[in-house]
Amino acid sequence: QVLSQLGERAKLLLYWRDDALIGFALVLIEPGRLIEKYNGMRYPDGPDHGVFFMNWMTQVRLCVERGIPELHAGETTYLTKARLGCKLHRSWIYFRHHRRHMNGLFGLLSRWIAFDSTDPDLRKLGTDAPYVEQ
């Protein structure tokens, strides 16, 4: 339905090994941006045959062919994406508890439960994480 409703604004990328489907990606195309919405692969065939990188290069090729300057590559595998040249955008989670005294406690704990300190890839990148300055 997505493909029929969006027409040329959506593409389904399929990755085959002989007759076996070993990976896919659904990408959405907006003016100036390609967004990888969903992807998946069959294990262990997908990783063993480089589907992650084939998918990455296919999306880069689509961007180059169409003159699309931005590729939104998703919210996982930060270390690999940083090595491939991605720039990361910081995310923020705001909270407010209905019991006011809990807000202070959460505020103190937030620095230790922040995503960039709990995600193994981001922790490994540390200060070398290629964040876009806003």
Side-chain angles (χ1 to χ4, degrees):
Q1 283 185 328
V2 171
L3 296 174
S4 67
Q5 293 293 317
L6 293 180
E8 286 297 310
R9 297 180 316 168
K11 293 276 181 217
L12 183 61
L13 309 174
L14 302 175
Y15 303 100
W16 298 86
R17 181 163 190 269
D18 299 322
D19 292 336
L21 179 64
I22 61 171
F24 76 93
L26 175 65
V27 298
L28 306 177
I29 302 168
E30 295 181 346
R33 181 167 66 161
L34 185 139
I35 303 166
E36 182 182 63
K37 187 67 177 164
Y38 299 107
N39 69 33
M41 66 181 79
R42 179 179 301 207
Y43 287 85
D45 293 338
D48 287 351
H49 292 91
V51 169
F52 180 87
F53 294 100
M54 178 63 74
N55 182 45
W56 176 266
M57 296 310 299
T58 300
Q59 291 179 43
V60 169
R61 183 178 45 81
L62 279 171
C63 288
V64 170
E65 287 173 354
R66 295 170 181 243
I68 298 171
E70 184 176 328
L71 168 59
H72 183 272
E75 294 81 19
T76 61
T77 60
Y78 302 106
L79 187 59
T80 302
K81 289 175 181 168
R83 288 178 178 159
L84 291 171
C86 282
K87 302 290 184 210
L88 307 176
H89 291 261
R90 290 193 186 277
S91 330
W92 304 96
I93 297 174
Y94 295 93
F95 55 86
R96 178 184 285 190
H97 198 280
H98 65 27
R99 294 188 178 130
R100 291 179 190 239
H101 68 280
M102 296 298 289
N103 289 323
L105 176 62
F106 287 141
L108 291 171
L109 294 174
S110 66
R111 73 187 87 193
W112 290 286
I113 59 174
F115 193 64
D116 57 353
S117 65
T118 58
D119 181 86
D121 283 352
L122 291 176
R123 201 170 53 240
K124 187 178 267 187
L125 285 168
T127 58
D128 292 330
Y131 285 108
V132 172
E133 298 303 321
Q134 305 217 354

